[in-house]
Amino acid sequence: MRTDPLTRVQRPVGQHAQNPSPRPLRQVLKLVAVVVAVVVVSASGVAAYAAFELGSTFSAHAVDLEGQGSAPPDVGAIAGGVNLFLAGTDVCEASFAPLFGGRCKGQDAVGERNDVNLLVHISASPRRVTVISIPRDLVIPTPSCRRPDGSTAPATAASMLNSTYGYGGLSCVVKTVSHLTGLTIPYAARITWGGVIQLTDVIGGVTVCVANGIDDPYTHLHLSPGDHTISGMTALQFLRTRHGVGDGGDLGRISNQQQYLSRLARKLMSQGTLSNPAVLLQLATAAVQNITPSKSLTDPLTLVQIALAVKSVPFDQIVFVQYPTMDDPADPNRVVPNEPAAQALWVALAANKRLVLTGGASQGNGVIVEKPKASPGPSSSVSSSGSPHPSPSRSTSSSGVKLPSSIAGQTAAEQTCSNGNG
């Protein structure tokens, strides 16, 4: 039985015996189905192409998610809504460690943390995509978790979210986020710093906007005001920079990451990128080599279903929000959940209506919103005041569900720029 991704009650998933190997005819029919589906979603077929060409490699190191379950695959867009989690981790891979400076030297090189935590909700019809960034410095309870080696990690009363991967692996991070949100999360993946470098190289970089120059001696990122096409190590520095934008905190970094993700979404969904077979193959290969998926994501048809579900979502229906937080009374450098605002977000997602952002683009002043253009032209003006400008998709809109002003974010249709410290 399928579980509604917005169901608030978690139910244990039964364990079943391993299914027997499929018959040869079933294998052939499944392959034909995948080929047909790939053709259907060729306009947005990165995931499908990767699954068809490299599915067996993708499955090699897959992770079993404790207590989350998954839907049986079928040809066609995935039925109903679905939640997917992506963890970005800071492991010091040998081939990239020399690039990371002090983070990968001495005691700092030990361990692996989930520094980027993205919960992606794809709604049922009409299709909408909401990407929720959960701060790494969020202090919350951690449930007991089954570690990759089969042992059990005991529950904690209060831990930083970014310690969870080292505590119990990807499955433990997903279980913790599921307990925090009350949502079922059947699909997940983990990408490392090195994976970010390779993937951004393959797609030819992402063009980001810098309103005020960025000068960060910690990540060694130095960007002048204006537009910059970044890839490789520079893209990773941009995603990691904290001291270079806003108030120097993690919340400002999150909004800077959301600017990158918004522009990446627009690039990947543009016909020029996704209609190039050579780029698709390179991207699929890089994804398989650098992403560790949950076992629920390794079936080719599942990847095709997700691609079908999101391929036609309008940019103004792709919303990036920050999980709402408040300062931790016990530590000003940490945050705790703003539970009333978070509850309003879950209710809005359950209603499956257009989300209306009424707050700023950033909790940490990491980005500012471009002023609307007076007339079409090759360049756009950027506010130099350091404060966001409301756009028609925010508090001035009358339709949809208005989110509390304490929830910061932007849509993929909006243009934001890094509010740098330079």
Side-chain angles (χ1 to χ4, degrees), residues 70-86:
S70 61
D74 194 4
V75 176
I78 199 162
V82 69
N83 298 311
L84 181 149
F85 181 82
L86 177 64

Side-chain angles (χ1 to χ4, degrees), residues 185-207:
I185 307 172
Y187 307 108
R190 162 253 197 185
I191 185 170
T192 65
W193 282 353
V196 172
I197 289 174
Q198 294 195 351
L199 286 175
T200 56
D201 279 343
V202 168
I203 64 176
V206 174
T207 300

Side-chain angles (χ1 to χ4, degrees), residues 4-28:
D4 190 318
L6 288 169
T7 296
R8 307 297 299 180
V9 178
Q10 301 296 314
R11 293 182 173 86
V13 177
Q15 300 296 317
H16 303 280
Q18 186 174 3
N19 291 329
S21 299
R23 297 177 181 178
L25 177 59
R26 183 180 173 187
Q27 291 272 38
V28 171

Side-chain angles (χ1 to χ4, degrees), residues 257-279:
Q257 292 169 349
Q258 289 180 337
Q259 185 215 160
Y260 177 93
L261 292 172
S262 174
R263 291 169 184 264
L264 172 63
R266 291 200 297 270
K267 178 169 184 175
L268 289 181
M269 293 178 74
S270 68
Q271 204 167 31
T273 300
L274 296 181
S275 62
N276 187 327
V279 172

Side-chain angles (χ1 to χ4, degrees), residues 156-183:
T156 69
S159 300
M160 279 180 57
L161 178 60
N162 81 325
S163 66
T164 314
Y165 190 92
Y167 192 63
L170 178 63
S171 178
C172 193
V173 181
V174 172
K175 188 175 182 180
T176 301
V177 172
S178 181
H179 276 237
L180 171 69
T181 62
L183 307 181

Side-chain angles (χ1 to χ4, degrees), residues 333-354:
N333 295 316
R334 304 288 179 258
V335 292
V336 294
N338 179 339
E339 294 182 358
Q343 179 62 23
L345 175 60
W346 311 139
V347 170
L349 291 181
N352 193 17
K353 294 184 179 180
R354 192 168 69 87

Side-chain angles (χ1 to χ4, degrees), residues 6-7 27 42 65 67 74 81 89 101 107 110-111 125 153 157 159 181 219 246 263 271 280 296 307 365 368 378 417:
L6 288 169
T7 296
Q27 291 272 38
S42 60
L65 299 182
D74 194 4
T89 67
Q107 289 298 319
V110 179
S125 181
S159 300
T181 62
T219 60
R263 291 169 184 264
Q271 204 167 31
L280 289 179
S296 54
N365 206 25
I368 59 178
C417 298

